[in-house]
Amino acid sequence: MDANNTIENAKNATPVVLDGSEGEGGGQIVRSALSLSLITGRPVQIDKIRAKRRRTGLMRQHLTAVQTAARIGAARVEGAAAGSSSIHFVPGALQAGTYHVPIGTAGSTTLVAQTVIPALLAADGPSTVRIEGGTHNPMCPPFDFLERTFVPALERMGARVTATLERHGFYPAGGGAIQLTIQPSPLVRIELLERGEVRRIRARCVVADLPVSIAEREAEVLRKKLGLKPDAVEIRSLPDGPGNVATVDVETDAGTIVFTSFGEKRVPAEKVASNLVREVKNFLRAERAAVDEHLADQLLLPMALAGGGAFRTTRATPHATTNAAVIEAFLPVSVTFTVDGDSTLVEVAPKM
Amino acid sequence: MIRMAKDRPLVVLGFLGTSQDQRGFRDRWNHWRPTVGLCQQEDLVVARLELWHERRYERLGKVVENDIARVSPETDVVRHDMPIGDPWDFQEVFEALHAFAGAYSFDTEKEDYLVHVTTGTHVAQICLFLLTESRHFPARLIQTRPPREDGETVAGSYQIVDLDLSRYDALARRFATEHLDAVSFLKSGIATRNEAFNRQIDLVERVAMATRDPILLMGPTGAGKSQLCKRIHELKTQRHKLEGEFVEVNCATLRGDSAASALFGHVKGAFTGAVAARAGFLRRADGGLLFLDEIGELGLDEQAMLLRALEEKRFLPVGSDKEAQSDFQLVAGTNRDLRADVASGRFRDDLLARIDLWTFEMPGLKDRIEDLEPNLDYELERYADRHGRRVTFNKEARSRFLRFAESPDASWAGNFRDLNASVTRMATLAPGGRINREVVDEEIERLRRAWRLAPESGAPTDGLLLEVLGERRLAEIDLFDRVQLAAVVEVCRRSKSLSEAGRTLFAASLARRTSSNDADRLRKYLGRFDLDFRALQPR
């Protein structure tokens, strides 16, 4: 069964009803459901949105995702308001085009990007999307991950997507901007089952409107603990902030994985860097894992759209299993997680 | 608890925080700034922010505006020049905000308004509160808070306060209880059963608590107007809505030349006999409650003066060329049809219009006969309180009395005053504090005679006088004299000797040492009615 059949079989089916408080219980359910609804054309009803969080319901950045999805899919939406605990989303036809998406509260631009990219890949023409807000937010994939991990993975599946950083935006001041171009492209099945060789490790320490010494102290720790050559660590100082982020790119035969650590008030630079080192080393230790845990949960949706796929990752996170459940609610696929030594094998396959 | 309006865009009005929103330039994102924080709330989309500041804070205003544009692209910031010279001057701030509210076109159908009270001086906050409470700003209040220690983001949090207290269930319940307590208080704790009456008192409570406008109580004599007034005054004093005294005046006693002077006061030498200045009832009631019973008996001149006193809170005392002031709440009582009096020219229509704003009919006892029983118990309680002697009915006597009292035969012409007198008599005559069948039967006879004698305008005291004078002699005595005589007879009955009664009756003169032989005075008074002290003693 190919990708188009998978999607066609799902179309015109009954509305999908989801409990937004289940599993990871956050914004991920809403974003994945929106992408899938846009692509399959199936209406979706999500109740108890973020019901177990401190502030319940749709937050502004989720609301922006809902509104953007509604524009892209000419959708009719009920319950699209800040604090709303349920939404009903009825998509129309996908609209390729030029979109401008400003996000409030310095919300994550990359999360909105992940919502719209799969949908616009299925549209009938090329699209350009400019998203403004935070590009480097704690608890969210930074732009670097989108640019050097997620987009290349999509490209290997046949997607023609570019992501460009116009300006950094850190929480809480925001003010960042990214630009996406998306050409409609069918996705093909891939497998990322072995990491192969680690070809190169590079690091980058960025400060914005903060003393450069912070970045230098982080760079020092990264060099020492990861055994990097001086020229493998880049230090950048930006005017607009405040903000601090350190990233490490691990380039392997299976692709590049970007790891991130954010500077925080009252956390010494050395601690920020050593947290990052620990994450990188954890990944390197699981020798066969081709994909880290963050890319793992984001690969599920494009693989399901491609009609199947498989990869080996470090572990299955609640994000990944929740995402799998949402995908299975929309598409006739099954996602299996098999622990295999120090890694986990993930398979997406059409339902028999 | 509070309903969030999800359908209308939110518009926030607030002051730029000239100190709290001012956190240096480079370091500003590391600090909580209330106006910026307001627009950083993850679950609150501010569609428009109307931001007030003085022109000299233009630069700060721009920084805040730009920062909000970054963190809240959904928000349209509109800055307003708010020309306030001294932000701690209440009048200036209030006027500026009042003027803004008047000029601003609020559209509550299309927009949902919030007033931000975290920024601005305390004076500004008070003014915003007052103007929101008075609905000049048809808004709810929003208060922003700095981040807590537990890792809340720099945006802090917020709380929305709706001044419409009925939106808060717990508070509404408490107010309902308070209201019930107040209503019960107004009814002297009597569990009255008449629905119309209960509704009426309910309304009286709400009106009396909410306003200082005049209240008009209509109803027959003895219906409890005076008692209700006293209770209103006590209740309002408890709730800090009145500070002055309760002054009760029966206008029927004010006829003639001295009426104006009694009400409005006079200066020394204003007329023959005005040896000292007199403040008058209106001034005594300043800040309090003035009950003018039988207001229909007031002369036309006094009516005109009263109207002016009500409208302008000032009036001229007799013989004075300097106005006096008094701010009192008026409750007027009447048994007459004042509209008919206006038609016949006996009552000013403008005064009636002024006092006829809140009019309540106090039904007579006959019209709420189901309340007789609870009032009977109340009167027995009152007797016990006053005389220190608890009196009860035996079962048969009680049902016998009630059967008569609630029957169409009982006219209760003097209403609750008749009931009070009746209970007093029975309690006084009850052997060993127990009202028995004989006492009840005698009382029923007494009531029957009294009502037969003067079915329409019988004075409340007639029962007692009938007993000592007999029908024929009582008929020869003017109503005017009956009231005084009844009081004298009552005192005589309570007293053991003529001297004791005299001392009680002339206690005031005695204190001033202006009367030497009060027993003699009393004997002469009784003589005019062919009565003597010994004959008045209870058998």
Side-chain angles (χ1 to χ4, degrees):
Chain A
M1 188 189 281
D2 71 12
N4 283 334
N5 278 343
T6 312
I7 298 166
E8 281 310 312
N9 288 349
K11 270 193 179 161
N12 303 322
T14 48
V16 174
V17 179
L18 298 173
D19 180 336
S21 69
E22 273 181 9
E24 172 266 339
Q28 183 63 48
I29 296 177
V30 176
R31 284 187 295 269
S32 297
L34 290 171
S35 298
L36 285 158
S37 174
L38 286 172
I39 295 162
T40 61
R42 283 181 76 176
V44 63
Q45 167 84 34
I46 314 174
D47 299 313
K48 296 190 198 165
I49 295 172
R50 302 182 71 257
K52 293 170 188 163
R53 300 299 172 95
R54 189 150 95 176
R55 288 196 194 186
T56 61
L58 280 185
M59 295 296 109
R60 275 163 72 185
Q61 56 169 328
H62 311 125
L63 179 60
T64 305
V66 172
Q67 287 163 338
T68 306
R71 278 163 67 201
I72 287 173
R76 188 162 55 76
V77 199
E78 286 159 38
S84 173
S85 62
S86 64
I87 59 165
H88 189 72
F89 187 89
V90 184
L94 279 171
Q95 319 270 319
T98 302
Y99 294 95
H100 173 218
V101 185
I103 312 173
T105 64
S108 167
T109 52
T110 55
L111 290 177
V112 171
Q114 278 166 11
T115 311
V116 301
I117 290 171
L120 289 173
L121 282 172
D124 57 0
S127 298
T128 309
V129 186
R130 186 185 145 87
I131 311 173
E132 293 165 11
T135 60
H136 292 81
N137 295 40
M139 318 293 288
C140 297
F143 176 78
D144 305 74
F145 180 89
L146 183 77
E147 179 193 37
R148 301 194 294 279
T149 302
F150 183 61
V151 168
L154 282 181
E155 282 173 332
R156 294 174 73 160
M157 299 175 76
R160 286 171 295 163
V161 178
T162 65
T164 320
L165 178 70
E166 277 184 29
R167 208 168 49 237
H168 281 76
F170 294 92
Y171 187 86
I178 67 173
Q179 179 104 18
L180 307 172
T181 64
I182 300 128
Q183 305 280 336
S185 10
L187 296 175
V188 297
R189 191 192 151 93
I190 59 163
E191 289 183 343
L192 297 168
L193 296 176
E194 297 296 333
R195 174 190 299 166
E197 292 300 312
V198 175
R199 297 174 181 175
R200 188 158 71 137
I201 297 179
R202 289 186 301 165
R204 182 185 286 172
C205 304
V206 179
V207 283
D209 207 8
L210 287 175
V212 76
S213 61
I214 294 171
E216 284 165 352
R217 282 157 59 201
E218 287 166 355
E220 181 60 26
V221 173
L222 294 178
R223 262 186 224 113
K224 227 187 258 168
K225 295 199 172 173
L226 292 174
L228 303 179
K229 291 200 183 100
D231 64 348
V233 185
E234 183 190 352
I235 289 171
R236 290 182 67 182
S237 179
L238 305 169
D240 242 11
N244 165 231
V245 62
T247 54
V248 168
D249 288 27
V250 177
E251 297 172 23
T252 72
D253 290 345
T256 300
I257 305 292
V258 177
F259 295 90
T260 322
S261 184
F262 288 95
E264 267 182 78
K265 253 185 171 177
R266 288 188 284 272
V267 178
E270 287 74 15
K271 175 91 174 133
V272 173
S274 55
N275 283 346
L276 181 53
V277 168
R278 183 162 11 94
E279 254 198 82
V280 172
K281 285 193 169 167
N282 279 346
F283 178 67
L284 293 175
R285 207 170 295 126
E287 281 177 0
R288 295 181 69 193
V291 165
D292 79 311
E293 58 188 51
H294 300 298
L295 181 59
D297 84 69
Q298 286 163 32
L299 272 180
L300 296 177
L301 199 152
M303 280 190 170
L305 295 174
F311 58 86
R312 193 185 299 279
T313 183
T314 43
R315 66 185 188 109
T317 61
H319 260 85
T321 50
T322 305
N323 220 357
V326 174
I327 291 165
E328 286 171 339
F330 274 92
L331 296 168
V333 298
S334 60
V335 182
T336 52
F337 298 87
T338 316
V339 177
D340 178 13
D342 55 8
S343 63
T344 296
L345 181 66
V346 184
E347 288 167 293
V348 182
K351 235 177 215 156
M352 288 304 136
Chain B
M1 185 169 72
I2 291 176
R3 186 174 47 89
M4 286 286 281
K6 288 190 169 142
D7 37 354
R8 293 169 297 162
L10 272 183
V11 176
V12 180
L13 305 102
F15 279 101
L16 180 69
T18 51
S19 61
Q20 297 200 92
D21 285 330
Q22 174 84 273
R23 293 301 190 142
F25 187 75
R26 274 202 73 178
D27 204 25
R28 68 196 193 282
W29 289 106
N30 289 324
H31 293 282
W32 175 69
R33 291 178 290 163
T35 302
V36 180
L38 178 72
C39 300
Q40 284 175 295
Q41 298 302 315
E42 287 196 71
D43 54 359
L44 192 74
V45 185
V46 179
R48 193 167 73 249
L49 173 65
E50 308 280 7
L51 191 60
W52 303 311
H53 63 79
E54 291 167 68
R55 195 160 286 154
R56 63 196 169 108
Y57 291 106
E58 182 69 23
R59 242 191 67 198
L60 176 62
K62 265 210 176 101
V63 169
V64 167
E65 181 181 338
N66 289 338
D67 286 347
I68 290 173
R70 272 174 80 157
V71 296
S72 191
E74 301 98 319
T75 308
D76 188 10
V77 178
V78 184
R79 289 191 287 125
H80 299 270
D81 177 29
M82 187 59 92
I84 295 174
D86 178 4
W88 290 95
D89 183 298
F90 180 83
Q91 189 170 327
E92 201 177 333
V93 176
F94 192 91
E95 273 171 10
L97 286 170
H98 185 266
F100 181 92
Y104 190 90
S105 39
F106 288 101
D107 186 351
T108 50
E109 292 279 301
K110 296 213 178 79
E111 295 178 332
D112 187 13
Y113 299 97
L114 295 173
V115 166
H116 187 208
V117 289
T118 305
T119 46
T121 58
H122 289 157
V123 169
Q125 289 166 8
I126 292 165
C127 293
L128 286 171
F129 172 86
L130 291 173
L131 287 163
T132 303
E133 220 257 340
S134 63
R135 307 302 289 162
H136 284 87
F137 288 110
R140 291 173 294 161
L141 302 178
I142 183 166
Q143 184 164 35
T144 48
R145 278 196 300 239
R148 286 187 299 258
E149 283 298 309
D150 63 353
E152 210 175 53
T153 69
V154 72
S157 55
Y158 71 93
Q159 189 190 3
I160 289 176
V161 179
D162 195 332
L163 294 179
D164 179 356
L165 296 180
S166 64
R167 293 273 174 79
Y168 301 82
D169 292 342
L171 291 182
R173 270 200 302 278
R174 233 179 79 189
F175 285 136
T177 312
E178 210 168 82
H179 169 73
L180 279 181
D181 289 349
V183 167
S184 161
F185 181 83
L186 288 181
K187 296 190 291 192
S188 306
I190 305 172
T192 53
R193 300 163 182 169
N194 184 281
E195 259 185 60
F197 177 75
N198 287 343
R199 267 202 307 275
Q200 184 91 303
I201 295 297
D202 202 84
L203 204 58
V204 168
E205 191 270 340
R206 270 187 278 162
V207 169
M209 287 303 111
T211 173
R212 284 183 74 165
D213 289 334
I215 293 175
L216 179 61
L217 297 180
M218 310 213 340
T221 171
K225 298 189 288 275
S226 164
Q227 173 80 357
L228 177 61
C229 255
K230 266 184 220 138
R231 291 266 161 175
I232 290 176
H233 176 259
E234 264 181 69
L235 189 61
K236 292 192 78 157
T237 305
Q238 274 173 27
R239 300 275 168 89
H240 309 287
K241 288 177 194 257
L242 284 180
E243 281 166 358
E245 280 182 55
F246 174 68
V247 178
E248 181 177 3
V249 183
N250 188 328
C251 297
T253 66
L254 289 182
R255 302 185 102 163
D257 297 337
S258 61
S261 133
L263 284 172
F264 307 101
H266 61 74
V267 292
K268 187 176 168 181
F271 47 82
T272 318
V275 287
R278 181 180 185 180
F281 292 125
L282 263 66
R283 261 186 287 177
R284 246 180 64 198
D286 190 14
L289 192 149
L290 176 66
F291 176 45
L292 291 183
D293 202 4
E294 308 290 348
I295 196 166
E297 303 295 326
L298 215 54
L300 285 169
D301 292 344
E302 286 78 31
Q303 290 177 27
M305 288 169 79
L306 178 62
L307 178 64
R308 178 144 186 272
L310 280 175
E311 286 180 338
E312 294 169 28
K313 306 191 193 313
R314 50 180 75 232
F315 52 86
L316 269 182
V318 176
S320 171
D321 48 11
K322 245 179 68 188
E323 286 189 321
Q325 290 193 3
S326 178
D327 185 7
F328 55 88
Q329 174 164 24
L330 176 74
V331 180
T334 185
N335 188 21
R336 307 169 60 114
D337 179 357
L338 291 178
R339 269 177 205 88
D341 284 354
V342 166
S344 67
R346 282 187 55 178
F347 202 80
R348 294 182 65 108
D349 59 347
D350 47 6
L351 180 60
L352 179 60
R354 189 77 185 86
I355 63 175
D356 193 16
L357 182 61
W358 299 107
T359 303
F360 299 99
E361 290 260 11
M362 299 284 294
L365 178 51
K366 193 88 183 140
D367 292 326
R368 53 183 186 104
I369 202 70
E370 63 267 55
D371 287 342
L372 187 132
E373 192 175 357
N375 272 284
L376 179 67
D377 293 331
Y378 169 73
E379 292 296 349
L380 285 170
E381 286 288 326
R382 216 152 64 126
Y383 182 87
D385 281 351
R386 288 196 185 161
H387 298 86
R389 193 164 81 102
R390 184 156 289 280
V391 177
T392 53
F393 278 96
N394 75 34
K395 203 176 165 199
E396 190 203 2
R398 182 183 171 97
S399 60
R400 217 174 157 80
F401 181 76
L402 281 175
R403 202 162 47 239
F404 166 74
E406 291 172 352
S407 73
D409 286 353
S411 81
W412 295 113
N415 293 300
F416 293 91
R417 229 172 273 170
D418 275 4
L419 181 64
N420 168 264
S422 175
V423 170
T424 305
R425 282 190 297 265
M426 289 190 289
T428 308
L429 300 174
R434 194 94 174 135
I435 300 174
N436 56 27
R437 187 181 160 159
E438 284 70 41
V439 173
V440 165
D441 284 348
E442 274 174 39
E443 177 60 22
I444 291 175
E445 264 324 293
R446 223 179 272 129
L447 287 170
R448 273 189 202 283
R449 276 201 314 263
W451 291 328
R452 202 167 46 235
L453 188 80
E456 291 285 89
S457 63
T461 51
D462 285 0
L464 180 65
L465 292 182
L466 188 71
E467 197 183 324
V468 297
L469 291 169
E471 256 180 63
R472 205 164 349 119
R473 278 163 66 200
L474 180 61
E476 285 165 6
I477 299 174
D478 285 333
L479 182 62
F480 183 82
D481 290 319
R482 285 186 203 176
V483 179
Q484 187 181 23
L485 181 58
V488 171
V489 168
E490 228 187 79
V491 171
C492 289
R493 290 192 141 193
R494 280 207 316 264
S495 307
K496 289 195 191 75
S497 68
L498 187 68
S499 307
E500 188 193 328
R503 278 197 299 277
T504 309
L505 289 163
F506 301 106
S509 340
L510 197 65
R512 290 197 307 269
R513 303 191 180 281
T514 52
S515 166
S516 49
N517 196 344
D518 26 63
D520 192 46
R521 258 175 96 181
L522 176 58
R523 193 186 354 258
K524 282 179 180 151
Y525 175 81
L526 291 173
R528 276 167 50 200
F529 301 98
D530 292 329
L531 290 170
D532 75 286
F533 180 81
R534 219 147 354 123
L536 293 176
Q537 289 299 292
R539 276 155 290 167

